[in-house]
Amino acid sequence: MSWDLSCPDWVDRLRNGKSLVPDLPQLDRAAADRAVTVFDRLRLADVPGTPLLRDAAGDWFRDIVRALFGSIDPATKQRMIREVFCLVPKKNSKTSYGALLMLVAILRNERPKARFIMTAPTQDITELAFGQVSGAIRLDVVLNQKFHIRDHLKTIVHRKSQATLEIMSFDPAVLTGQKPAGIFIDEVHVVSKMAKAANAIRQLRGGMIAAPESFMVMITTQSEEPPAGVFRAELAKARDIRDGKQDGAMLPVLYEFPPEMQADSESKPGAWRDPANWAMVTPNAGRSITIARLIEEYRTALATSPEELRAWASQHLNVEIGLALRSDAWAGAKHWEGRADRSLTLPALIARSEVITIGIDGGGLDDLLGLAVLGRERGARRWFLWCRAWAHRGVLDLRKSEAPKMLDLEADGDLVFVDDLTEANSELAEIVVEVEQSGLLAEIGLDMYGTTDARDALAQVGIEGDDRIVGIQQGWRLNGTIKTMETRLASATLIHGGQALMAWCVGNAKVVAVGNAISITKQASGTAKIDPLIAAFCAGALMVRNPQAKTKEVWAVAC
């Protein structure tokens, strides 16, 4: 029977500086205390005076050690807490404490020739981790006798059991197929950007089955971009277990503000900006970091730029980034999140509109095929936006850096992968027919180049001709539409469906000055995708002309 690892009162615990490890009545107290005793006797090799962890470490991490090593059932030898997912800001000694947790693991291990692995995305982090482990061993006479340190391999070997601890950079090719007794993955949000990272972690979980006492610890700060890939999936799982929405053997320890404190706008700054709240998510305050130092860094970031502040907040306060705003970001982006209405599905848009325009863009093998449906509200005349995109499956190999995010969008249902773009264009045409049958469709706007297949697909369903399909010039010629849509976002007269697809595209959009105009182009955005946003601009270019539905009587009768 699994343990209840939920922590429903986590916000109160954060406010009161209490442990985020829930009460665990089944814990083997003796084993837990022995592990903490070992942890406390280790020394920090890179701190003046090389203090014992007993004096230097924060209790927040000691509670993780206690839970992890006290969770083995004495009868079955099964570890009941098989995983830990810890979200903690920078400068809270997560790498140092994590490295020494793995030293505790090899010391408490009873399996001959067991293999323990600590891995991180960069060589600098692995150097720090190995330095902590090897330094702690060399500072202790007894540990020096127990272990052989192989510096050139970043490996330590327990002389008696022949168990090993290897500290290495994260490499899916190397990690796939391993059967570790324990693994520690540092900075999961960076690891998740690597190709095949999710597959490697899945393989590691499979390899753990052979040893009932095996464990996996993942520790990370927030991402400087919207969470994606395996980081997004593991974070969502940890939150669900913490909130009691899901059972599991993962212990969630998440130092993050509740959503209402993270919400931030020009009219109402987020509570995360108040230094009085920062201790909530800084468990090592007064040790490796101080609130006074954070205030200094905050003021520097605040004076630098909004995007620098957001990046700083994500790393030092675990504030989750919604849109990756930059100095060259589209002005409409800062209003985007506040204009979301997740009830605005395609059927809802049709039901609430008096006229609809459609925009289409993209469609190459390394592009998205973007469709935007833009409705004008009956009476109030607000604009409603809903989008969909398709991609050839080969784009996952062509654009490896974007693959984790695109797979997330597929799971959300906003992005559809196909093996043949003919299938994508056919599905697009089906949606256009659905809008056409409402009697509200005025015109369809397409990029004048590169959309031949979409035109052909529309012709096959009887939608063609210059009175229905309009070529939309791109680049600086969209300047007026871009400005109109950003001002409508600012005034809340453009509402969208809150789709993750569009949040991603809006965050990717880069503005380029062209004389007195601005341009948002795929070339400026590089490998980041914006095709559905360009499709929205195409639809907007038609809507600004105040179109009328081809058969207005249809919705008039329906009402």
Side-chain angles (χ1 to χ4, degrees):
M1 183 176 179
S2 62
W3 289 5
D4 180 6
L5 301 179
S6 66
C7 189
D9 60 341
W10 63 276
V11 176
D12 289 337
R13 287 173 179 253
L14 284 175
R15 292 186 187 281
N16 295 309
K18 294 182 178 179
S19 173
L20 292 184
V21 176
D23 299 332
L24 301 170
Q26 312 97 318
L27 207 65
D28 183 338
R29 300 292 173 183
D33 290 344
R34 284 195 295 270
V36 170
T37 297
V38 173
F39 181 77
D40 282 345
R41 289 179 180 175
L42 301 177
R43 291 184 177 274
L44 288 172
D46 62 347
V47 175
T50 61
L52 294 167
L53 286 177
R54 178 190 63 199
D55 304 315
D59 285 336
W60 70 277
F61 199 86
R62 197 172 282 109
D63 290 337
I64 294 174
V65 173
R66 181 176 289 106
L68 182 64
F69 293 101
S71 66
I72 296 180
D73 187 303
T76 65
K77 301 300 182 181
Q78 178 81 30
R79 191 183 297 274
M80 304 305 292
I81 297 177
R82 294 193 297 275
E83 299 184 20
V84 176
F85 187 94
C86 181
L87 183 72
V88 65
K90 280 186 174 181
K91 307 302 181 184
N92 281 277
S93 295
K94 62 181 179 57
T95 299
S96 296
Y97 292 171
L100 296 176
L101 176 147
M102 295 305 286
L103 183 53
V104 173
I106 196 171
L107 283 165
R108 298 299 303 152
N109 166 65
E110 297 179 358
R111 181 178 293 272
K113 298 185 177 181
R115 189 179 188 194
F116 296 88
I117 298 172
M118 181 173 183
T119 185
T122 67
Q123 184 175 352
D124 287 345
I125 299 177
T126 61
E127 292 284 357
L128 170 60
F130 183 72
Q132 289 292 10
V133 173
S134 59
I137 292 172
R138 289 185 169 114
L139 287 168
D140 189 285
V141 175
V142 175
L143 294 183
N144 250 321
Q145 295 175 345
K146 286 181 178 290
F147 291 105
H148 170 50
I149 301 173
R150 306 176 70 182
D151 291 278
H152 63 297
L153 297 176
K154 290 190 180 68
T155 300
I156 66 166
V157 182
H158 194 287
R159 298 182 190 276
K160 183 176 180 180
S161 70
Q162 291 300 296
T164 60
L165 170 59
E166 300 172 62
I167 299 177
M168 63 177 74
S169 297
F170 190 93
D171 184 345
V174 174
L175 291 171
T176 298
Q178 299 290 347
K179 297 180 179 180
I183 182 163
F184 188 103
I185 305 175
D186 200 358
E187 293 294 22
V188 180
H189 81 278
V190 179
V191 165
S192 69
K193 298 177 183 179
M194 299 182 183
K196 300 184 179 179
N199 181 63
I201 291 175
R202 184 166 53 251
Q203 292 275 343
L204 287 168
R205 281 194 170 111
M208 289 166 53
I209 295 175
E213 79 281 7
S214 61
F215 66 86
M216 176 186 291
V217 177
M218 291 186 246
I219 196 164
T220 186
T221 59
Q222 253 296 354
S223 173
E224 294 185 27
E225 302 170 351
V230 69
F231 170 60
R232 177 182 186 240
E234 298 298 335
L235 177 58
K237 177 181 177 181
R239 285 170 172 165
D240 282 350
I241 292 174
R242 175 196 64 188
D243 298 340
K245 298 177 181 178
Q246 178 180 335
D247 293 330
M250 173 189 282
L251 176 66
V253 182
L254 309 178
Y255 285 92
E256 61 178 356
F257 294 114
E260 63 271 16
M261 293 184 68
Q262 295 197 42
D264 194 57
S265 66
E266 290 185 354
S267 61
K268 186 179 180 181
W272 65 265
R273 293 173 179 264
D274 184 352
N277 294 322
W278 292 355
M280 291 173 62
V281 295
T282 313
N284 233 45
R287 298 178 184 275
S288 58
I289 188 64
T290 65
I291 301 300
R293 179 65 181 271
L294 287 176
I295 292 173
E296 291 178 15
E297 294 181 354
Y298 169 75
R299 289 172 177 166
T300 299
L302 184 64
T304 303
S305 65
E307 56 273 17
E308 179 64 24
L309 176 60
R310 290 170 72 91
W312 180 87
S314 72
Q315 296 299 285
H316 294 276
L317 298 177
N318 275 347
V319 175
E320 183 172 322
I321 297 297
L323 297 178
L325 297 183
R326 306 171 306 274
S327 58
D328 57 356
W330 176 40
K334 66 180 180 181
H335 304 289
W336 188 265
E337 291 175 305
R339 303 298 176 251
D341 177 358
R342 288 177 173 76
S343 69
L344 191 61
T345 60
L346 178 59
L349 183 151
I350 293 172
R352 297 171 64 181
S353 298
E354 64 179 5
V355 66
I356 293 172
T357 59
I358 286 178
I360 300 171
D361 185 77
L365 290 178
D366 63 345
D367 270 332
L368 303 185
L369 173 61
L371 169 72
V373 180
L374 186 65
R376 188 174 68 212
E377 185 180 22
R378 292 197 297 272
R381 296 176 70 86
R382 291 183 301 174
W383 289 6
F384 295 140
L385 178 66
W386 177 91
C387 298
R388 173 68 56 84
W390 294 261
H392 189 279
R393 196 166 296 279
V395 76
L396 296 172
D397 292 322
L398 292 172
R399 296 285 183 257
K400 287 184 170 63
S401 63
E402 302 298 315
K405 183 62 183 179
M406 288 192 282
L407 290 171
D408 289 342
L409 297 174
E410 180 190 31
D412 291 338
D414 296 330
L415 175 62
V416 179
F417 283 102
V418 295
D419 296 315
D420 185 340
L421 286 177
T422 301
E423 180 184 351
N425 283 288
S426 295
E427 292 181 9
L428 179 149
E430 289 176 7
I431 294 176
V432 175
V433 168
E434 181 180 351
V435 178
E436 170 80 347
Q437 289 175 344
S438 72
L440 304 179
L441 180 59
E443 294 174 315
I444 301 168
L446 301 91
D447 183 353
M448 297 182 71
Y449 305 99
T451 53
T452 302
D453 291 342
R455 288 176 181 266
D456 290 345
L458 292 174
Q460 289 178 13
V461 295
I463 301 175
E464 55 186 331
D466 293 342
D467 62 327
R468 307 306 310 280
I469 300 178
V470 181
I472 304 294
Q473 293 183 314
Q474 307 289 296
W476 65 268
R477 294 176 179 85
L478 281 172
N479 175 73
T481 302
I482 293 170
K483 292 291 187 181
T484 296
M485 294 186 77
E486 67 188 38
T487 56
R488 279 187 165 268
L489 284 165
S491 63
T493 54
L494 171 55
I495 308 299
H496 58 84
Q499 295 167 284
L501 168 72
M502 293 306 293
W504 179 52
C505 293
V506 168
N508 289 338
K510 293 184 179 180
V511 171
V512 177
V514 184
N516 293 326
I518 62 169
S519 172
I520 295 176
T521 67
K522 299 173 190 176
Q523 290 78 12
S525 298
T527 59
K529 299 303 178 187
I530 62 170
D531 307 83
L533 179 62
I534 299 298
F537 291 149
C538 289
L542 299 177
M543 190 62 78
V544 295
R545 306 194 311 198
N546 194 32
Q548 302 301 312
K550 296 302 179 182
T551 54
K552 294 183 289 184
E553 296 81 2
V554 172
W555 66 258
V557 172
C559 293

